Amino acid sequence: MIQVVAILAGAVGAVARYTAGGWVQRRTGPRFPSGTAAVNLAGALCLGVAAGALDPGSGAHALAAGFLGGFTTFSTWMVETLALGRRSSERLLALANLTLLLALGVAVAAAGYRVAS
């Protein structure tokens, strides 16, 4: 039953990612993949909170992991970084997208965990 909760929550999270990421991207313009950055950082923070506050194996943990797993997107982040790097004028942005978002993602996940535990 917990797996079904995670699956359904993941589907809802994916729709939320598509909606929220698109909303951010339309407001910031096409040069940098800010929509993906925003959802990944928000998801990392929220999953850090969930990991610090919820009992692993509980239904609430499955719901949070499923939703936030669907909400965040590693593969899109990688493909967008590759696309930036293929344009010679955007290689510095590609490097920033990769390194800064990785560091920020870990930092916000840790902050969320610390706040919740």
Side-chain angles (χ1 to χ4, degrees):
M1 180 60 177
I2 287 182
Q3 291 88 351
V4 173
V5 168
I7 290 167
L8 294 174
V12 173
V15 171
R17 169 180 32 93
Y18 183 80
T19 303
W23 183 86
V24 169
Q25 197 65 54
R26 284 189 299 280
R27 278 148 185 78
T28 59
R31 183 167 181 220
F32 185 78
S34 53
T36 300
V39 297
N40 283 346
L41 291 173
L45 175 66
C46 292
L47 194 53
V49 170
L54 302 173
D55 181 33
S58 69
H61 189 269
L63 181 67
F67 177 81
L68 294 167
F71 185 70
T72 59
T73 174
F74 183 83
S75 57
T76 300
W77 174 40
M78 293 298 103
V79 169
E80 289 173 344
T81 301
L82 177 64
L84 282 172
R86 291 176 59 111
R87 297 190 304 259
S88 60
S89 63
E90 305 294 349
R91 288 198 178 127
L92 188 57
L93 274 179
L95 183 60
N97 191 39
L98 186 61
T99 58
L100 293 176
L101 287 177
L102 179 60
L104 285 172
V106 171
V108 298
Y113 188 87
R114 228 180 344 253
V115 165
S117 55

